[in-house]
Amino acid sequence: MAASGGWCWCTTSGRSSRRWSSKQTLEQQHRYRHSRQHFVLPQDLQYGELRIPQGSLIDRYDPFDHGEPQRPLSLRGLRAVRFPQTVQVAGTWATAMEINPTRLELAHDQQIRPVAHFDRQAGDGYGAWVSDPARPDLDCQQGEYAWFHRPLIDYDIEAEFGQPEPDGPAARFRPSQWAVTHCESSWGPIELQPEGPADATPVWGALPPNAGP
């Protein structure tokens, strides 16, 4: 009985250790993922056409991040940015940017162009966003949010199936193709979660060369 009792104790202890180890691993994976979703950019980084400055508060979601201890610094899956200083995006001076919906928090009063509107007769009767002939630009005020039509960028869906989308300079992010639709101040602010929990453990691998196109 004593031997049996000892064997049972060891087995239970082993299972408990495995459960604890598994729980700890899952918590670590969550912490790594979370730290890479909400963070302060440690250096300037090119994302498509836009160079995002060091110190920007980033919100992103990468479905291919499985919580590994370290991954290359990435902006893949970018959702929103709050810049440390005014940045020009789509010809517009902004303090923050949201990707979906596509809007910019305006740094000061400015005229924004080009302007797009939805034409129900365009697109073979299905409707489409087209250039607005009646409005060459919009007068928008500091603190307002400028909304943009962001056209889809074609790519080979079959070739990229199951693969991470392009990142860095190759990212499909082209503000030069955007067109403003309206400015407003009633929708609500661009909100970003604060930086992930402080942890001495680095979550990024070696930083890429600080260069752009």
Side-chain angles (χ1 to χ4, degrees), residues 57 59 80-82 96 98 103 105 145 188-194:
L57 182 59
D59 179 84
V81 183
R82 181 160 295 281
E98 190 172 31
R103 59 184 185 141
E105 182 181 274
Y145 296 90
I190 295 175
E191 295 182 342
L192 285 84
Q193 293 188 30

Side-chain angles (χ1 to χ4, degrees), residues 173-190:
F173 186 75
R174 301 172 187 170
S176 63
Q177 299 180 358
W178 300 0
V180 66
T181 61
H182 65 285
C183 294
E184 55 77 34
S185 58
S186 60
W187 181 267
I190 295 175

Side-chain angles (χ1 to χ4, degrees), residues 50 83 85-97 102-115 137-148 175-176 178-183:
L50 181 63
F83 305 113
Q85 68 263 355
T86 300
V87 171
Q88 191 173 39
V89 186
T92 304
W93 292 103
T95 49
M97 172 180 71
T102 304
R103 59 184 185 141
L104 299 173
E105 182 181 274
L106 301 183
H108 52 72
D109 298 355
Q110 53 196 299
Q111 290 184 325
I112 305 175
R113 60 176 67 87
V115 182
D137 52 53
L138 287 184
D139 287 313
C140 300
Q141 308 301 311
Q142 179 181 4
E144 288 188 324
Y145 296 90
W147 291 62
F148 292 82
S176 63
W178 300 0
V180 66
T181 61
H182 65 285
C183 294

Side-chain angles (χ1 to χ4, degrees), residues 19-94:
R19 284 197 297 269
W20 172 253
S21 177
S22 176
K23 180 181 178 181
Q24 189 177 40
T25 298
L26 290 174
E27 290 176 349
Q28 289 174 340
Q29 289 174 345
H30 173 75
R31 185 171 69 251
Y32 290 137
R33 278 196 303 269
H34 184 75
S35 296
R36 290 191 288 256
Q37 288 176 0
H38 314 289
F39 63 96
V40 174
L41 194 63
Q43 66 174 55
D44 292 359
L45 204 62
Q46 193 74 29
Y47 186 70
E49 294 180 343
L50 181 63
R51 191 166 184 80
I52 299 180
Q54 177 182 1
S56 295
L57 182 59
I58 302 295
D59 179 84
R60 63 185 283 270
Y61 175 71
D62 181 1
F64 290 89
D65 186 338
H66 302 299
E68 300 92 332
Q70 290 190 348
R71 289 178 64 89
L73 179 62
S74 172
L75 292 175
R76 181 181 294 111
L78 185 66
R79 297 189 293 197
V81 183
R82 181 160 295 281
F83 305 113
Q85 68 263 355
T86 300
V87 171
Q88 191 173 39
V89 186
T92 304
W93 292 103

